[in-house]
Amino acid sequence: MNEANIKEQLKPFFEPRAVAIIGATNKKGKVGNVIFENFKRNKEKGIFKGNIYPVNPKLDEIDGYKVYHDVSELPEDTDLAVIAIPAPAVPETMRKIAEKGIKAVIIITGGFGELGEEGKRMEREILEIAKAHGIRVIGPNCVGVYAPDTGVDTVFLPEEKMDRPKSGPIAFISQSGAFAAAMLDWATMAGIGIGKMVSYGNKIDVDDADLMEYFAQDDEIKVMTFYIEGVKDGRRFMEVAKRVTKIKPIIALKSGRTEYGARAASSHTGSLAGQDVIYDAVFKQTGIIRAEDFEHMFDLAKAFAKCKLPKGDRIGIITDGGGAGVMASDAVAKFGLKLAELSEDTIKFLRERFPPHAVVGNPTDVVGDTDAERYRLALEAFTKDPNVDAILVIVLFQVPLLDEEEVINIIADYAKKSEKPIVAVAMGGYKTDKYARMLEEKGVPVYPTPERGVRALAGLVRYAQYLRGNGE
């Protein structure tokens, strides 16, 4: 696939001049109504700048918008069609779309290959029409696309029931529509920005490799995350992944790892999950970082979105709680990293400035009567120490003398100006969560446990090693 071609081919999915919603309706809660309302709301906010053309043979108008009775009547600027009509009517609609010259189609409708032979036959028919006319298809059996910067939102879960996250440097690609929707809802709550989401369901056409190619060229995206149940064209997947992981990190959560899971994937999207050990080998060969679970995937994505890459695997730990420091040290060993041996200059610098009861070493424990200044001194020393490649800062915001906003500004300042990655850990409840969000807003990834913070750092270390091993 030519790179310029894929950019041009997939652009209408994210930046259409005009969208036709086939199956738009005025019946609240119906799929075609929610999708129409999404575009309408985003147009009223000035985010979606294209035209909106609802299509329904039984209606003349929805909320002031003219309704087109047939695809053939659509204006010529229509470059994206979103289909939300019953499955048996989709092949004929695709023929009309082809005649109209529309080149990008999202098929939301389910009831295809995941249900058996008749569904697979319809998928083949749709694909033949698409191939013959140069049409790119996302779906069927999906929730489509969410792009907050351009206002494209084909997720048919209404905003009253599912929040939409702010924009950010993470692309999320999911085979499962329900997982994609739940993840968007969760990302909003967690304050994680998603630049583009694609749910591709049965992926009869646009697939993982296409989206890797596209997002590799998208300047707004720094890291790609994939939820995969199965890969159809393994050879192309590997070829593209090998190339793209040298440009941007790719994190994959592959389900269907067990016999039971593989069976569920087959009935869900018609995927052949394959032997998990093969996927493990493919991910290692191509440089894709495998996430163990949903939590791990976004812990990694957050670190890649906000951090620089480390030059090595030696971790420095700063903490105001001894126990948390011990947990972080265990995690460093567990995830195959090394505790940095602090330089003599660092030890001397800190001993001269810290009170006698503070622990100078790795971990450095600024202890429970710390103020923000001790964190500043420790960060100053650690960022200058040539033996430290990455820094984990644990802040127990509960300690009495710590000015929360001051320490947040100090950590954010060093994260910005240092060449080393700095991740933070904040353990606690509602009050801690508030300060963790403030720190994240300033560009520092924050984790609720030392283990999750160290595991995220391990992802950065492994990817940096992969790039160095490939001469990047």
Side-chain angles (χ1 to χ4, degrees):
M1 180 69 66
N2 180 290
E3 288 184 10
N5 281 348
I6 196 75
K7 195 170 182 183
E8 203 55 38
Q9 287 172 9
L10 301 196
K11 187 178 175 184
F13 289 114
F14 306 104
E15 303 172 52
R17 289 178 298 152
V19 58
I21 302 159
I22 300 167
T25 171
N26 53 8
K27 291 178 183 169
K28 299 292 177 192
K30 298 277 281 185
V31 171
N33 180 259
V34 176
I35 296 170
F36 169 77
E37 290 286 341
N38 292 345
F39 278 100
K40 176 172 163 277
R41 183 178 55 250
N42 286 338
K43 189 163 180 72
E44 288 167 356
K45 288 178 181 172
I47 305 169
F48 182 67
K49 300 191 188 307
N51 292 316
I52 304 170
Y53 304 135
V55 179
N56 188 323
K58 297 176 183 171
L59 297 173
D60 295 322
E61 176 264 332
I62 304 175
D63 290 349
Y65 282 77
K66 174 186 174 181
V67 176
Y68 296 84
H69 290 170
D70 191 83
V71 170
S72 62
E73 300 171 4
L74 286 167
E76 295 305 314
D77 62 345
T78 310
D79 53 358
L80 172 64
V82 181
I83 298 179
I85 56 176
V90 175
E92 180 56 26
T93 301
M94 274 297 291
R95 281 193 194 87
K96 291 181 179 179
I97 285 170
E99 286 168 12
K100 192 67 197 175
I102 299 168
K103 298 297 185 190
V105 176
I106 300 173
I107 304 175
I108 302 292
T109 310
F112 288 92
E114 73 277 15
L115 291 190
E117 280 311 310
E118 175 56 17
K120 287 178 184 169
R121 188 200 60 73
M122 286 194 288
E123 286 185 350
R124 286 193 294 273
E125 192 177 344
I126 292 165
L127 189 58
E128 279 173 19
I129 297 166
K131 294 286 183 196
H133 294 85
I135 301 169
R136 300 310 308 264
V137 179
I138 289 178
N141 187 25
C142 68
V143 298
V145 172
Y146 171 73
D149 290 333
T150 58
V152 174
D153 184 351
T154 67
V155 180
F156 57 83
L157 291 308
E159 202 176 30
E160 310 87 77
K161 296 194 174 189
M162 192 205 97
D163 287 324
R164 267 66 169 171
K166 63 184 179 182
S167 183
I170 300 171
F172 178 59
I173 299 99
S174 174
Q175 200 156 355
S176 163
F179 181 60
M183 188 286 303
L184 291 179
D185 202 14
W186 172 84
T188 312
M189 184 188 69
I192 292 176
I194 302 293
K196 292 182 180 71
M197 183 284 296
V198 179
S199 148
Y200 49 31
N202 296 5
K203 54 180 174 182
I204 60 168
D205 178 38
V206 173
D207 64 6
D208 315 88
D210 291 323
L211 293 165
M212 283 182 211
E213 296 261 30
Y214 182 83
F215 287 127
Q217 301 174 68
D218 186 335
D219 294 337
E220 305 302 318
I221 296 301
K222 287 178 71 176
V223 53
M224 298 173 224
T225 55
F226 281 80
Y227 168 72
I228 298 172
E229 291 180 0
V231 172
K232 286 180 179 170
D233 185 348
R235 188 181 295 274
R236 181 159 178 263
F237 178 89
M238 287 187 69
E239 177 195 310
V240 174
K242 272 183 186 170
R243 186 156 28 88
V244 172
T245 52
K246 289 169 191 155
I247 303 169
K248 292 180 184 178
I250 299 175
I251 302 161
L253 174 58
K254 164 71 177 64
S255 64
R257 301 182 78 150
T258 65
E259 182 190 340
Y260 294 150
R263 208 181 302 155
S266 177
S267 61
H268 180 212
T269 53
S271 289
L272 293 173
Q275 288 188 7
D276 197 63
V277 65
I278 295 173
Y279 279 96
D280 250 344
V282 166
F283 292 157
K284 278 178 189 160
Q285 280 179 42
T286 56
I288 291 176
I289 302 155
R290 183 165 194 169
E292 294 302 315
D293 50 37
F294 169 82
E295 196 174 64
H296 187 202
M297 180 162 71
F298 284 99
D299 280 353
L300 287 168
K302 207 161 65 168
F304 279 107
K306 294 175 186 284
C307 289
K308 294 136 189 163
L309 291 178
K311 291 193 168 77
D313 59 358
R314 300 167 300 177
I315 311 300
I317 300 168
I318 301 166
T319 182
D320 58 353
V326 174
M327 285 188 266
S329 302
D330 276 342
V332 165
K334 177 178 176 180
F335 296 115
L337 304 174
K338 294 176 188 153
L339 267 187
E341 293 285 340
L342 299 183
S343 70
E344 289 183 9
D345 286 346
T346 295
I347 302 286
K348 183 169 180 288
F349 177 88
L350 292 176
R351 282 211 173 118
E352 286 175 354
R353 289 162 178 80
F354 275 5
H357 60 284
V359 180
V360 174
N362 195 15
T364 279
D365 186 353
V366 294
V367 296
D369 66 347
T370 191
D371 56 8
E373 176 62 8
R374 282 186 213 162
Y375 274 100
R376 192 192 68 74
L377 291 168
L379 281 164
E380 176 70 13
F382 276 50
T383 52
K384 286 184 174 171
D385 192 324
N387 295 341
V388 176
D389 297 312
I391 301 167
L392 183 87
V393 186
I394 301 168
V395 187
L396 303 177
F397 283 103
Q398 299 89 344
V399 300
L401 299 179
L402 189 63
D403 184 308
E404 297 89 353
E405 291 197 26
E406 191 181 354
V407 77
I408 285 168
N409 287 332
I410 287 169
I411 296 168
D413 181 47
Y414 277 96
K416 192 173 178 185
K417 68 187 183 187
S418 172
E419 287 306 307
K420 299 172 183 178
I422 296 176
V423 307
V425 171
M427 302 167 73
Y430 293 120
K431 292 183 177 66
T432 293
D433 185 58
K434 173 185 152 191
Y435 298 124
R437 283 171 186 267
M438 287 169 65
L439 189 48
E440 290 221 323
E441 286 294 322
K442 290 179 178 288
V444 181
V446 184
Y447 300 93
T449 66
E451 181 159 278
R452 284 174 60 181
V454 173
R455 189 166 65 158
L457 274 178
L460 296 181
V461 169
R462 300 288 172 247
Y463 183 62
Q465 288 171 337
Y466 168 75
L467 290 182
R468 283 195 293 274
N470 284 278
E472 300 298 321

